[in-house]
Amino acid sequence: MIPPTAPSRPTRLPAWAGRNFRLLTASAVVTNLGSSGSVIAAAFAVLQAGGSGTDIGLVAAARTLPLVVFMLIGGAMADRLPRHHVMVGANLLNAASQAVFAVLVLSGSARIWQMAALSAVGGTAQAFFGPAAQGMVLATVDRAHAGRAFAVFRMASNGSNIGGAALGGALTAAFGPGWVLAVDACSFALGALLRTFLRVEEVVRSKGDSMLRELRDGWREFVSRRWLWAIVVQFSVVNAGTVATDAVFGPLVANDRLGGAGPWGVALAAFGVGNILGGLLLLRWRPRRILLAGTLCIFPWALPQIALAAAAPAPMLIAAMLVSGVTIEVFGVTWMLALQQEIPEEKLSRVSAYDGLGSYALIPVGTALAGPAADAFGLYGALWGCAALTVLLTAAVLLAPEVRTLTRTDGPPAAASSGATVQPTLKAPPGGSGEGTAPLS
């Protein structure tokens, strides 16, 4: 990585937050602003079309299934091409799919299968975007500032989730879901435009490595670290229950007991507020055992499921979402730090792809079965089951010694292996460094 240069003019931002960091943070804010509202809009678009809870789950599953199918290819491509080019292409594909989705909903001609197909296109784009986005923050700032950079970037991104969820819920309630989907399409297009202005060096690669061989190398890196695959297995189930809650159970409870899309949007916005508070906490708190601190913070992620299962009033649900937002942000930053610290940079996108593959693998199953599970066990019984799985699996992960003992360092990144690919790094223009984004586990 080329060290960032000093700003060319006075700024209120830290010295390490240069041009590329600001540019990519702005693009993440824009796209998150639209996407957080579209999650609400998509669920209520299905209901508006006469769909059921099962149909909501099927549409959500259609988005996550391509993540499982294409994630490994996306990771390999991100280690072969300039990462920001892959991100721009993915944004444009998302913009196109959401624009068609919006037109169908606004015209009143949307069918469930059409919604599912367009969601699948969006999921395909995300399968390429996620691995490409991994590692961008650390490639643009000095490692000593990595924790602060992650926290600031995620605070900015999550701050847009607050406005997006609240605005999306309000617009959906006032004007219907079609307009929210149209805004999301515009946000992806603008995000792609902003990312085209990044200054990125050429990719330097060794010759002759096939994609299959590179994927095998990434798999060996992945399975050689027990802390890594243990947490990914945990999140394969936890994410399935959480997405089922957010995409299916939550809207159903909101529609039945809380007054519709508006209160549910406020609850999702409270989660975003918690994310910002968690980021502020991590600007000052530097946990030494990063995975232990992060894993302990997964337990409160069950609080919203418990609040929904207990038919708690909206203020209690909002408070539960706020607390879970704080704690999951701690996990998110510590997880990013662990990956950046322990995984060789030239293999990070591929390892991230295995991380994403495992973490997303059961989401299509969970969302597709959410409606039938609510029918079989009752809506509130299914929510209690999701909460129990979150708590039990998090406790199981703590049995791994590496999770309890992995210690934070501020030294150089993990060493690259001989003959490895040199990853694209953001050039440091005057006053600039760069940025990136990564999913949770």
Side-chain angles (χ1 to χ4, degrees):
M1 183 189 75
I2 300 176
T5 60
S8 58
R9 60 182 181 274
T11 176
R12 295 182 180 180
L13 294 174
W16 49 262
R19 175 187 179 273
N20 281 330
F21 185 89
R22 297 193 299 268
L23 187 62
L24 277 174
T25 300
S27 65
V29 167
V30 168
T31 53
N32 286 355
L33 187 66
S35 297
S36 57
S38 72
V39 173
I40 302 169
F44 283 89
V46 173
L47 294 176
Q48 179 178 286
S52 63
T54 298
D55 293 323
I56 295 174
L58 289 173
V59 171
R63 181 173 181 82
T64 52
L65 183 60
L67 290 173
V68 177
V69 175
F70 295 110
M71 183 68 73
L72 295 183
I73 298 174
M77 291 297 293
D79 278 340
R80 298 173 73 91
L81 301 173
R83 288 173 178 166
H84 83 295
H85 288 175
V86 179
M87 294 165 72
V88 168
N91 282 169
L92 291 175
L93 184 57
N94 264 318
S97 65
Q98 291 298 78
V100 175
F101 200 162
V103 169
L104 290 175
V105 173
L106 288 170
S107 66
S109 60
R111 302 292 182 266
I112 301 299
W113 71 266
Q114 294 171 328
M115 299 182 196
L118 291 167
S119 294
V121 173
T124 301
Q126 183 60 33
F128 286 85
F129 181 91
Q134 182 69 278
M136 296 289 280
V137 169
L138 192 62
T140 63
V141 298
D142 189 272
R143 176 164 284 272
H145 300 295
R148 293 183 179 89
F150 290 147
V152 168
F153 174 73
R154 289 175 64 90
M155 277 195 298
S157 300
N158 292 323
S160 64
N161 287 335
I162 299 172
L167 184 61
L171 288 177
T172 299
F175 303 107
W179 290 109
V180 180
L181 294 168
V183 168
D184 190 30
C186 293
S187 73
F188 276 117
L190 181 55
L193 177 63
L194 290 172
R195 290 183 171 107
T196 62
F197 292 107
L198 291 171
R199 300 183 184 179
V200 182
E201 290 184 341
E202 295 293 330
V203 179
V204 180
R205 297 184 50 80
S206 58
K207 303 295 184 181
D209 285 347
S210 68
M211 185 177 294
L212 182 59
R213 179 175 178 179
E214 291 175 342
L215 289 174
R216 287 200 299 265
D217 288 343
W219 174 252
R220 284 193 290 268
E221 290 287 340
F222 178 80
V223 298
S224 67
R225 293 167 170 83
R226 181 163 53 180
W227 61 267
L228 176 57
W229 60 257
I231 291 178
V232 170
V233 169
Q234 170 202 12
F235 267 85
S236 68
V237 178
V238 171
N239 280 341
T242 300
V243 173
T245 299
D246 290 347
V248 182
F249 300 144
L252 289 175
V253 173
N255 202 48
D256 184 42
R257 291 180 175 270
L258 300 178
W264 181 238
V266 172
L268 292 178
F271 183 84
V273 173
N275 291 155
I276 290 182
L277 294 177
L280 289 172
L281 172 64
L282 286 166
L283 286 177
R284 305 185 66 86
W285 178 43
R286 292 164 56 85
R288 189 173 68 88
R289 296 187 181 183
I290 48 178
L291 284 183
L292 177 61
T295 302
L296 289 173
C297 286
I298 299 302
F299 287 109
W301 215 9
L303 290 177
Q305 295 165 338
I306 293 172
L308 289 167
M316 291 186 64
L317 173 62
I318 291 169
M321 294 286 272
L322 179 70
V323 172
S324 66
V326 172
T327 57
I328 199 59
E329 185 64 12
V330 174
F331 172 80
V333 172
T334 56
W335 180 249
M336 291 172 74
L337 284 171
L339 289 177
Q340 306 288 346
Q341 175 179 302
E342 300 296 320
I343 306 300
E345 197 275 341
E346 83 281 0
K347 298 180 180 180
L348 186 57
S349 287
R350 279 166 285 168
V351 172
S352 173
Y354 283 110
D355 171 17
L357 175 64
S359 299
Y360 294 143
L362 295 182
I363 290 178
V365 177
T367 49
L369 294 180
D375 293 337
F377 305 106
L379 177 58
Y380 302 100
L383 282 163
W384 281 117
C386 289
L389 285 173
T390 297
V391 171
L392 291 174
L393 287 171
T394 303
V397 163
L398 289 173
L399 297 177
E402 298 88 345
V403 173
R404 301 193 305 271
T405 60
L406 184 65
T407 302
R408 177 187 189 133
T409 67
D410 291 321
S417 57
S418 60
T421 301
V422 177
Q423 288 303 318
T425 57
L426 295 181
K427 290 160 57 175
S433 55
E435 152 304 309
T437 180
L440 293 181
S441 173

